[in-house]
Amino acid sequence: MSNDGGAPHGSDEPTSFALQPPNPPVRAPHPGNPYATPTAPATHGVRPAPRPATVPAPAPTSAPAPASAPSQDPRAGRLIAGRYRLIAKLGHGGMGTVWRAKDETVDREVAVKEPRVPEHLPERERANAFERMRREARAAARLDHPAVVNVHDVAVVDGQPWIVMELVRGRSLGDTLQEGTLSARDAARIGLEVLGALEAAHAAGILHRDVKPDNVLLGRHDRVVLTDFGIARIEGETDLTDTGGFVGSPEYVAPERVLGQRPGPASDLWSLGVVLYAATEGVSPFRRSNTPATLQSVLNAAPAPPASAQGPLAEVITGLLQKDPARRPDAAQVRALLEAAANPPAPEPTQAVTVADTGGRGLRLGRTTWFGLGAAVVAAAVTAYLVIADPFAGPLPQGWATRHEKDVAATLAVPDGYERTLPDRETDKKHWVTYTDQSGAIWIGLTLDKKSEDTGNTIADSAAAEMYEDDGDFKESGDYTLGMPENPKTAPDPKTTYQGGKSAQNTVVYTTTDSQYPRPRELRLFYYRTSGGDMYKLTVSYPGKGDFTERGREVARTAIANLDVDKL
């Protein structure tokens, strides 16, 4: 991952993680938890319009402070180890202060962690603190994973280690949760990234021992980073905790650690379970008014089932919060459940359709067809067409209706108000139709390639083969009509089913090639080949980031689930 040293100071980009209000008081995770009640009332049954969760704010390790309010400190401008020029404070914790700095040797911005140890501490404790920082650097440097912050250097100044890390531009999950909770899907997506970091650490013989929201950074481009290995335990090394001492955050620590037992990977997974609980419910279920009471609740309190997390996410949280580490799911089981929660199945279809939601990647259509669809989107954004609705064909979300399209021999489900565009039959002999929302941000396109008209024998023998052919074209050359560069991120799925037959699906994630206004886009495509050899391709395009992203994915799931072709 690039350090992005060339970005403007304090710049920040939103992620697609959307916030919702904290749960109302009746949903407090535990009746004895005084911190579970929101400080501001929440409106029952109402979620605000999605908004970016990442805004400029300091984070505990390597997130930047806003450019408008940098921390003023007389030490700003100091040169560390003849190389790292301190610029501004980003934040501080019990182990040190983090600075935004400039690596003048390679001309990039970095995060530098300055050791912070009170002068009055005995020499032994000061030495232990410095050794913990060295271990943090060694632990993180041993790991090669995108969800672990990169350590570039350890600069020793007057016997004290300064850790030099990549500058992750974003904010902590802890800061984010001060404004509201996450949806189950976003919590699962974050959980998957943290799990990946923990799996890499455990494979290297490292226990993190302090997994909590403040140590999870939400960076640019939806990157999730696990930070602060300051109290990590590396296999084979001695424990630095003084007799009677305790390291870690009490409300996230596993019961076996409270009891002084030897921890293992299951201890870090327990902490991940508490983080997931807090992400959806707004608070740790074990937080109490003081540390002894919190530790007692970790040992004995049975947290109420999560109110906002349902299905696989609730299952993984409940499993990870088992007091006995032997009864907790292992990393592979946790991953399977989180993937199911991050990629929920399509809504209950009107017809017998099974389509997996792959969450974001791959596709291709014939060049002429794509050009027609791309032009149709532009036309639909400025021209309203008469839409004639057929009789209601089954249960649909409120604000949706079905439209039978004779030219493509199928019935489409589309949201009300979407504008319809058809090809000019005098100049375009292809069979297609598009529906576009009035902003032009989201569009649905259905094409039909008829076997009887396929004189060049271009229709593949199966939906999966057609999908892979399209995927290869995108990888090789992208698509100029959609502003798609070559080699976009794709997620082909050749094993979906439709009406008992085989179908396929692909998702493409890319940034448009527009030199002045590049935009993130996401494209979902569903393929089905009829028994007579006709090929259907249903495409939904929408923004890859921002308020319209989740709406676009919802439109894609619903449109695919309710597609009804005339002849199977």
Side-chain angles (χ1 to χ4, degrees):
M1 172 64 70
S2 168
N3 295 290
D4 203 12
H9 295 344
S11 66
D12 225 340
E13 289 188 4
T15 70
S16 63
F17 302 124
L19 295 172
Q20 55 197 13
N23 289 324
V26 296
R27 289 186 174 184
H30 193 281
N33 187 341
Y35 295 90
T37 302
T39 56
T43 303
H44 292 264
V46 177
R47 289 181 58 178
R51 57 191 176 88
T54 301
V55 296
T61 55
S62 54
S68 59
S71 175
Q72 299 298 324
D73 190 284
R75 291 175 297 169
R78 178 184 176 187
L79 190 64
I80 301 300
R83 176 172 180 174
Y84 307 106
R85 182 78 62 182
L86 303 183
I87 298 175
K89 284 183 180 180
L90 298 178
H92 65 272
M95 292 293 292
T97 299
V98 180
W99 293 81
R100 179 164 60 89
K102 180 70 170 293
D103 183 346
E104 297 186 344
T105 300
V106 296
D107 191 27
R108 69 178 171 190
E109 287 195 347
V110 294
V112 177
K113 187 171 185 178
E114 173 192 8
R116 191 167 73 96
V117 180
E119 293 292 339
H120 67 271
L121 283 183
E123 183 60 30
R124 177 187 173 188
E125 293 185 23
R126 290 174 56 81
N128 277 354
F130 294 151
E131 181 59 23
R132 284 198 189 110
M133 291 194 69
R134 294 187 184 95
R135 287 193 180 187
E136 175 184 0
R138 287 200 299 271
R142 287 173 59 171
L143 305 179
D144 182 15
H145 193 278
V148 176
V149 68
N150 291 322
V151 172
H152 301 312
D153 190 13
V154 176
V156 179
V157 180
D158 297 329
Q160 301 183 11
W162 294 59
I163 303 176
V164 182
M165 304 168 285
E166 67 170 319
L167 182 63
V168 179
R169 299 179 183 275
R171 68 189 309 204
S172 75
L173 176 60
D175 286 335
T176 300
L177 295 180
Q178 294 298 312
E179 301 174 9
T181 57
L182 296 177
S183 69
R185 187 174 184 181
D186 281 345
R189 289 167 57 197
I190 292 172
L192 279 169
E193 296 300 319
V194 176
L195 176 64
L198 291 177
E199 287 177 309
H202 297 163
I206 299 170
L207 298 180
H208 188 281
R209 302 203 301 170
D210 198 19
V211 179
K212 60 183 179 181
D214 284 345
N215 286 340
V216 177
L217 295 187
L218 306 182
R220 297 169 59 173
H221 312 300
D222 287 352
R223 186 184 176 198
V224 178
V225 180
L226 180 61
T227 67
D228 205 345
F229 283 78
I231 64 170
R233 188 178 190 280
I234 303 176
E235 188 174 5
E237 294 189 357
T238 57
D239 198 329
L240 289 172
T241 306
D242 292 326
T243 302
F246 181 82
V247 292
S249 303
E251 63 194 281
Y252 293 95
V253 75
E256 58 270 23
R257 286 195 57 217
V258 176
L259 294 172
Q261 299 172 356
R262 184 180 180 85
S267 302
D268 280 345
L269 294 181
W270 161 283
S271 301
L272 174 59
V274 184
V275 168
L276 293 172
Y277 195 115
T280 57
E281 306 305 308
V283 67
S284 161
F286 305 111
R287 182 183 296 181
R288 301 294 186 268
S289 59
N290 56 69
T291 296
T294 297
L295 294 177
Q296 191 65 37
S297 72
V298 168
L299 290 176
N300 299 314
S308 298
Q310 305 295 326
L313 184 59
E315 184 178 347
V316 75
I317 292 174
T318 302
L320 289 177
L321 297 188
Q322 294 287 329
K323 306 293 187 184
D324 182 358
R327 299 183 61 187
R328 295 171 203 154
D330 60 23
Q333 294 169 315
V334 172
R335 178 168 294 280
L337 290 169
L338 288 178
E339 286 177 345
N343 301 291
E348 186 68 25
T350 303
Q351 302 295 331
V353 182
T354 302
V355 180
D357 178 10
T358 57
R361 298 167 269 189
L363 126 113
R364 161 232 167 241
L365 286 180
R367 300 300 177 208
T368 303
T369 303
W370 274 122
F371 183 79
L373 288 176
V377 172
V378 176
V382 296
T383 307
Y385 288 80
L386 178 63
V387 179
I388 302 175
D390 277 355
F392 188 66
L396 285 172
Q398 184 176 5
W400 284 66
T402 55
R403 306 284 188 262
H404 183 263
E405 296 292 344
K406 183 178 179 180
D407 193 50
V408 290
T411 298
L412 273 169
V414 296
D416 293 339
Y418 274 41
E419 297 169 347
R420 177 173 177 254
T421 306
L422 293 171
D424 183 344
R425 300 306 296 163
E426 294 183 1
T427 59
D428 189 348
K429 303 303 181 183
K430 297 290 183 179
H431 303 274
W432 58 263
V433 63
T434 64
Y435 284 88
T436 311
D437 82 311
Q438 294 184 8
S439 72
I442 302 173
W443 58 269
I444 305 169
L446 179 64
T447 66
L448 170 62
D449 292 337
K450 292 186 176 182
K451 185 65 175 178
S452 61
E453 299 173 359
D454 186 26
T455 56
N457 197 31
T458 59
I459 298 176
D461 293 335
S462 68
E466 186 82 3
M467 180 269 295
Y468 278 123
E469 182 182 349
D470 291 346
D471 185 71
D473 282 0
F474 280 124
K475 293 289 189 180
E476 182 176 342
S477 57
D479 193 294
Y480 75 94
T481 63
L482 297 174
M484 182 190 299
E486 65 182 24
N487 199 34
K489 186 179 181 182
T490 69
D493 185 354
K495 296 183 178 181
T496 60
T497 61
Y498 173 76
Q499 298 266 4
K502 295 180 179 179
S503 62
Q505 183 177 330
N506 205 346
T507 312
V508 185
V509 175
Y510 65 99
T511 299
T512 63
T513 56
D514 189 324
S515 60
Q516 290 186 321
Y517 303 104
R519 300 179 304 279
R521 296 293 294 179
E522 196 164 295
L523 207 64
R524 286 281 296 276
L525 187 65
F526 174 75
Y527 297 76
Y528 175 70
R529 188 178 187 271
T530 69
S531 58
D534 295 344
M535 184 66 69
Y536 281 90
K537 300 180 184 181
L538 176 62
T539 308
V540 184
S541 176
Y542 47 90
K545 291 183 185 295
D547 292 348
F548 276 90
T549 302
E550 285 305 319
R551 173 58 176 170
R553 291 171 179 165
E554 175 191 353
V555 168
R557 288 192 296 268
T558 305
I560 291 172
N562 289 279
L563 175 65
D564 186 12
V565 304
D566 289 356
K567 294 182 180 180
L568 296 175

